[in-house]
Amino acid sequence: MAPTVLLADIGGTTTRIARAGVDGVPFDIRLEANDSYGSIEDLLKTYLDSLGGEPPRCAALAVAGPIDGDAVRLTNRPWRFSTAALAQELSFLRLTVLNDFEAFAHGLPLLTRDDLMEVGTGRAVAGAPMLLSGPGTGLGTALILPREEGYEVLASEAGHMRLGAVTTDEARIVAHLVRDLGPVSVEHVLSGPGLVRLHRILSGEQQSSHAIIKAALDGQRQEKESCHIFLRLLGRVLGDLALAFDAKGGIYVGGGIGRAMAPLFAESPFRAAFEEHPPYLDRLSLMPIHVVTHATPGLIGIGEIGRRLLVDI
């Protein structure tokens, strides 16, 4: 049997896990609820034990948190591990760990038009930086810098920037959050848990993010209003980041919440809030924005990393 690599896109709530061969294309894909496992080691071992034939020789993991060395810790889940110890425990010849949105960014060049939904208009400038950001359990962000040969990806923890208010309703939202949480970060609102907080402040109702989005898609007024305010804030923050990095190569909205809300973008204030950064409205209006609608883009990206591992062994 040809050698394979284990792939895992490990988020705060869900892990997408698969194998790939030398082409990097994921197969044997499974979605696992992280709450069903006590640790990353348990999750990966359960998957490996279920496989037949020769086990994967190496592994590539995308993890929702910063990668600063051998010790890895998820930001929004109390999981941590040593890269070296994990490789030894699971008998991998090589193990590579990346930030989840850094891995996602490696998959962007492999996506097709069918995997993207355009929001507004714009025209990408060849060779210019591209911004990837999106809400899931947190707000992931990465920057793609084209080079003469290929590209470079920079991971970011932009979801932990402070969130400010521009309108009176936003000031009320931030004031509520300050009372509950103290200093308010961007992902305190722009995430799945953040949408739940936002909707509770606006309506007094406690619902899951999935239920809020489903009701909004069904045309329920209150839930649709909550999603539109969420998208307005997302548009403004992505406009901030687009200016910070001069992302004329395009902006890509990822994350499970971003994908679920895709049908709501067109009628929402998202694009207007993205562009409304005087005196640079015209500059931002030229930047194209796409929502990534592919179901497992993180696996596509980590599959590309895994492919390189197999080539090198």
Side-chain angles (χ1 to χ4, degrees):
M1 181 178 178
T4 60
V5 55
L6 175 72
L7 310 174
D9 179 15
I10 304 165
T13 304
T14 303
T15 292
R16 293 161 177 82
I17 189 167
R19 288 188 289 169
V22 292
D23 60 0
V25 177
F27 65 93
D28 283 345
I29 299 173
R30 300 180 197 171
L31 270 64
E32 300 287 350
N34 291 349
D35 284 344
S36 299
Y37 299 90
S39 66
I40 288 177
E41 293 88 341
D42 290 343
L43 191 158
L44 298 181
K45 193 172 187 306
T46 299
Y47 179 83
L48 291 169
D49 288 346
S50 72
L51 301 176
E54 182 182 350
R57 296 182 183 180
C58 50
L61 310 181
V63 175
I67 310 300
D68 296 319
D70 178 74
V72 179
R73 181 176 64 85
L74 271 71
T75 300
N76 292 307
R77 174 165 288 272
W79 282 2
R80 61 183 65 207
F81 63 94
S82 157
T83 300
L86 183 64
Q88 183 175 18
E89 180 178 350
L90 299 179
S91 301
F92 293 131
L93 296 177
R94 294 187 65 184
L95 171 61
T96 294
V97 182
L98 281 73
N99 168 267
D100 58 341
F101 264 67
E102 180 182 2
F104 187 162
H106 283 282
L108 275 183
L110 304 176
L111 299 180
T112 69
R113 288 185 179 181
D114 292 339
D115 301 320
L116 303 170
M117 184 196 78
E118 189 169 18
V119 181
T121 59
R123 191 179 190 87
V125 175
M130 295 177 283
L131 174 69
L132 170 64
S133 187
T137 304
L139 183 78
T141 305
L143 190 67
I144 303 98
L145 301 172
R147 301 303 189 201
E148 287 187 10
E149 295 185 7
Y151 56 89
E152 180 182 359
V153 175
L154 300 181
S156 170
E157 290 298 321
H160 299 277
M161 300 184 305
R162 292 294 179 244
L163 179 69
V166 173
T167 65
T168 54
D169 61 343
E170 292 169 7
R172 181 168 68 91
I173 292 164
V174 171
H176 271 273
L177 293 171
V178 168
R179 286 198 296 271
D180 293 342
L181 303 171
V184 180
S185 72
V186 167
E187 71 172 34
H188 280 147
V189 174
L190 298 179
S191 62
L195 177 61
V196 172
R197 294 185 189 102
L198 176 64
H199 185 66
R200 184 175 64 244
I201 292 168
L202 295 172
S203 69
E205 299 175 353
Q206 180 76 23
Q207 296 188 54
S208 69
S209 58
H210 173 79
I212 295 166
I213 295 170
K214 183 178 184 303
L217 293 171
D218 290 340
Q220 296 299 312
R221 183 192 62 80
Q222 185 61 67
E223 287 80 3
K224 193 171 183 179
E225 179 184 351
S226 294
C227 288
H228 277 194
I229 292 175
F230 180 99
L231 289 172
R232 183 212 302 163
L233 290 166
L234 179 62
R236 184 176 305 124
V237 168
L238 294 191
D240 292 344
L241 292 171
L243 283 177
F245 298 114
D246 201 20
K248 294 178 182 177
I251 292 84
Y252 295 85
V253 183
I257 298 297
R259 181 172 65 252
M261 284 191 178
L264 298 172
F265 273 77
E267 293 184 0
S268 79
F270 171 86
R271 182 80 207 201
F274 174 84
E275 295 177 3
E276 191 180 8
H277 287 70
Y280 289 117
L281 188 151
D282 289 344
R283 189 182 192 87
L284 289 166
S285 69
L286 297 175
M287 296 182 184
I289 302 175
H290 292 85
V291 178
V292 178
T293 57
H294 191 286
T296 56
L299 281 182
I300 300 297
I302 204 66
E304 172 61 16
I305 301 301
R307 180 191 68 79
R308 299 174 194 172
L309 288 181
L310 285 180
V311 168
D312 289 342
I313 63 171

